């Protein structure tokens, strides 16, 4: 009986796991929180290829035939490499909810993400392919925020969000794309500064796409117990 593998550079991916469990309650999951290598955004491509390949090999050994990359950075930088090197596995990536922002006709959208995601070609393509005439995007590389969330450093979290607010408070931000799976963990803090902005994340979209791909590849079992095994490397 196959399981669904999910991994992230730490606890951030738990926000995706929650939605996956909601959509697929009769499947079994293995969640791999790779905290020891957090943050991914500061690693070279070669380092990330090795790190993510090791995780994928472990999840394959644990009978995972579909793997959700619950990390925007790992998706933007590694998913193509992993698909080429593990063609027997179905990979589902996570990407910033730019399309949701565009479909919602928000005028001024702040995209919060790791520097690696902000600089990625994938994000630029997402904006290019979905942006409408009245959509304005502001890209904010949130240096150190994912790490501060992983470490539970509330002082650092507040400092980063305060500085972000000071930088963009005159831009009439009406929506914020949480472009890292760690960020929903501090949604209340973000909303306390950006009181008029709707927070958008892609976790539910990832869960729905996972279910669709599982149906497409006949991977739905409906025979699991809904068991969730969490492995944390630090």
């Amino acid at each position: 009986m196959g399981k669904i593998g999910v991994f992230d550079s730490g606890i951030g991916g738990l926000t995706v796991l929650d939605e996956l469990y909601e959509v697929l309650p009769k499947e079994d999951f293995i969640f791999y929180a790779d905290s020891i290598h957090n943050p991914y955004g500061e690693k070279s491509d070669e380092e990330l290829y090795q790190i993510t390949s090791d995780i994928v090999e472990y999840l394959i050994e644990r009978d995972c035939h579909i793997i959700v990359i619950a990390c925007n950075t790992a998706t933007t930088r590694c998913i193509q490499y992993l698909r080429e090197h593990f063609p027997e596995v179905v990979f589902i990536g996570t990407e910033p909810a730019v399309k949701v922002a565009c479909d919602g006709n928000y005028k001024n959208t702040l995209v919060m993400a790791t520097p690696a995601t902000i600089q990625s070609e994938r994000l630029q393509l997402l904006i290019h392919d979905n942006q409408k005439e009245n959509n304005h995007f502001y890209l904010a590389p949130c240096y150190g925020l994912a790490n501060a969330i992983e470490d539970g450093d509330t002082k650092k979290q507040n400092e980063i969000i305060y500085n972000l607010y000071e930088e963009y408070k005159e831009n009439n931000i009406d929506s914020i794309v949480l472009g890292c799976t760690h960020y929903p963990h501090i949604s209340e803090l973000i909303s306390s500064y950006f009181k008029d902005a709707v927070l958008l994340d892609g976790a539910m979209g990832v869960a729905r796409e996972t279910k669709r791909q599982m149906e497409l590849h006949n991977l739905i079992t409906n025979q699991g117990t809904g068991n969730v095994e969490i492995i944390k490397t630090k």
Side-chain angles (χ1 to χ4, degrees), residues 94 117 220:
T94 302
T117 297
I220 296 278

Side-chain angles (χ1 to χ4, degrees), residues 88-105:
E88 74 278 17
V89 176
V90 178
F91 288 99
I92 308 297
T94 302
E95 56 189 20
V98 167
K99 187 176 187 304
V100 178
C102 294
D103 290 346
N105 290 317

Side-chain angles (χ1 to χ4, degrees), residues 178-195:
L178 303 179
C180 170
T181 55
H182 278 73
Y183 299 170
H185 289 284
I186 59 164
S187 57
E188 289 185 10
L189 173 62
I190 297 169
S191 291
S192 71
Y193 283 100
F194 294 91
K195 294 181 170 59

Side-chain angles (χ1 to χ4, degrees), residues 5-150:
V6 186
F7 77 88
D8 182 30
S9 61
I11 62 170
L14 290 171
T15 57
V16 176
L17 180 64
D18 286 344
E19 299 293 352
L20 285 164
Y21 191 83
E22 191 74 25
V23 171
L24 295 158
K26 293 184 179 180
E27 304 298 323
D28 293 330
F29 297 86
I30 298 177
F31 179 81
Y32 194 102
D34 190 27
S35 301
I36 200 168
H37 290 117
N38 182 70
Y40 277 3
E42 296 177 9
K43 303 283 190 295
S44 68
D45 285 349
E46 290 69 25
E47 287 177 296
L48 272 187
Y49 292 158
Q50 187 62 58
I51 289 166
T52 56
S53 293
D54 289 346
I55 294 170
V56 169
E57 285 175 357
Y58 172 79
L59 292 172
I60 291 172
E61 289 174 3
R62 296 293 312 278
D63 199 27
C64 296
H65 304 296
I66 184 164
I67 296 176
V68 179
I69 306 175
C71 172
N72 289 272
T73 299
T75 297
T76 55
R77 293 172 63 185
C78 300
I79 194 167
Q80 192 59 41
Y81 175 89
L82 294 174
R83 282 174 173 161
E84 290 172 0
H85 285 75
F86 301 95
E88 74 278 17
V89 176
V90 178
F91 288 99
I92 308 297
T94 302
E95 56 189 20
V98 167
K99 187 176 187 304
V100 178
C102 294
D103 290 346
N105 290 317
Y106 296 106
K107 291 183 171 57
N108 297 294
T109 300
L110 180 65
V111 180
M112 294 174 55
T114 65
T117 297
I118 292 295
Q119 294 162 12
S120 69
E121 183 180 354
R122 193 180 185 93
L123 177 60
Q124 301 303 323
L125 286 172
L126 271 175
I127 293 173
H128 178 269
D129 291 346
N130 293 284
Q131 190 172 14
K132 299 174 183 175
E133 190 174 339
N134 64 335
N135 298 138
H136 299 281
F137 284 91
Y138 302 90
L139 307 184
C142 300
Y143 294 91
L145 183 55
N147 206 39
I149 296 168
E150 188 73 24

